[in-house]
Amino acid sequence: MGKFRIGSYEDLSNERGFQFEFKCDGCGRVFRSDFDRSETRILKKTNESVGKVASFLGNLFGGKVSTVGSAIDSGTGLVSDVSGDRYDDEKKKAFEKAEDWAQESLKRCKKCGRWFCEECYDAEAEMCSPCAEEEKAEEEKRRAEEEAEKEEREREEEQRRREAKKRVCHKCHEFVPEGMRFCGICGAPMIKVCPSCGAENEPRMNFCTECGTRLK
Ligand SMILES: [Zn+2]
Ligand SMILES: [Zn+2]
Ligand SMILES: [Zn+2]
Ligand SMILES: [Zn+2]
């Protein structure tokens, strides 16, 4: 069964046996395990305080005991020995069994970690319905962000391409490293300096792109 144990439950066990109640964290639907009769229930003919037994029961797993009074077998005056390790072990095993059973109906949300019935659970997403919806919205947001990033990258790429183009000699079309003023292959000038404003223009320009002065 699942490696996650169900966290919240009601303990309905008493000295006669074990029973647990598991709840859907969404709709509150209750799944009650079959009553699992205690095998190691040992009857002791003592007059040990019933209260002690009852409070011990109550402390086991921190659960709630529904039948506190039944620690005394009616008529016989025998008291069940539920203070032994055997009962303890038995209860632990019974609880695990009950949990395995409950996990057939209750599934754990992988996002919030709580347990949900079929109705409140999105099996495909392996999440409770609210978490699945939240996740879907986040997924959409992520996609939109990725889309925006991609556009930004494309814009930058385009910008780089434009920059690179500028560094190709207009005469021989060889690549000219940035900052070079003349093409090293054919000797063509890589810039036309505007005689009026001093702006550096691409050599194919006939007019200064800064001030409109005719370039030679
Ligand atoms: Zn439910
Ligand atoms: Zn959830
Ligand atoms: Zn050239
Ligand atoms: Zn100019």
Side-chain angles (χ1 to χ4, degrees):
M1 272 298 149
K3 69 181 187 190
F4 297 104
R5 312 310 297 186
I6 299 177
S8 73
Y9 58 91
E10 291 275 336
D11 183 1
L12 307 178
S13 306
N14 57 39
E15 87 292 348
R16 294 168 191 282
F18 315 101
Q19 192 167 34
F20 303 92
E21 212 172 73
F22 302 89
K23 221 189 238 174
C24 168
D25 282 324
C27 65
R29 195 174 145 199
V30 163
F31 297 84
R32 184 183 287 193
S33 68
D34 285 340
F35 190 81
D36 196 349
R37 193 162 288 282
S38 171
E39 301 282 337
T40 60
R41 177 177 170 233
I42 304 158
L43 295 179
K44 285 197 303 184
K45 194 157 191 166
T46 74
N47 285 320
E48 263 178 44
S49 138
V50 173
K52 193 176 149 201
V53 174
S55 83
F56 170 77
L57 264 172
N59 287 334
L60 269 183
F61 297 97
K64 187 178 88 185
V65 180
S66 56
T67 48
V68 165
S70 64
I72 288 191
D73 245 24
S74 48
T76 65
L78 295 173
V79 175
S80 298
D81 180 17
V82 296
S83 57
D85 287 344
R86 285 172 67 194
Y87 179 88
D88 221 344
D89 281 352
E90 199 183 19
K91 181 166 190 178
K92 223 169 115 187
K93 280 194 195 91
F95 179 66
E96 278 167 14
K97 199 171 117 197
E99 266 199 322
D100 282 350
W101 167 82
Q103 283 183 32
E104 282 167 24
S105 307
L106 293 168
K107 304 291 172 205
R108 184 179 185 270
C109 169
K110 71 176 182 189
K111 196 171 186 207
C112 67
R114 295 182 301 156
W115 294 83
F116 298 88
C117 77
E118 222 171 47
E119 309 257 304
C120 304
Y121 190 77
D122 185 331
E124 202 185 313
E126 291 176 46
M127 287 176 216
C128 69
S129 306
C131 281
E133 255 163 54
E134 207 178 287
E135 191 67 16
K136 227 177 273 170
E138 277 170 23
E139 178 62 38
E140 242 151 65
K141 203 176 135 208
R142 262 200 299 276
R143 248 206 305 277
E145 277 168 8
E146 265 169 35
E147 195 63 35
E149 253 170 55
K150 200 175 142 210
E151 271 170 31
E152 177 64 26
R153 266 201 305 278
E154 275 168 10
R155 253 199 310 279
E156 280 171 11
E157 185 56 36
E158 178 58 32
Q159 182 72 18
R160 254 197 304 280
R161 269 199 297 274
R162 271 203 300 274
E163 291 292 325
K165 218 162 157 189
K166 265 195 229 162
R167 287 188 276 117
V168 170
C169 172
H170 68 289
K171 240 185 186 163
C172 71
H173 305 292
E174 286 291 335
F175 178 77
V176 181
E178 203 173 2
M180 300 292 114
R181 300 176 73 81
F182 293 92
C183 170
I185 304 294
C186 74
M190 287 307 291
I191 48 165
K192 264 185 191 173
V193 177
C194 171
S196 171
C197 73
E200 296 187 345
N201 290 274
E202 283 179 54
R204 62 196 172 89
M205 297 298 167
N206 293 319
F207 297 90
C208 173
T209 53
E210 288 293 322
C211 71
T213 299
R214 180 162 199 115
L215 300 171
K216 276 178 266 166

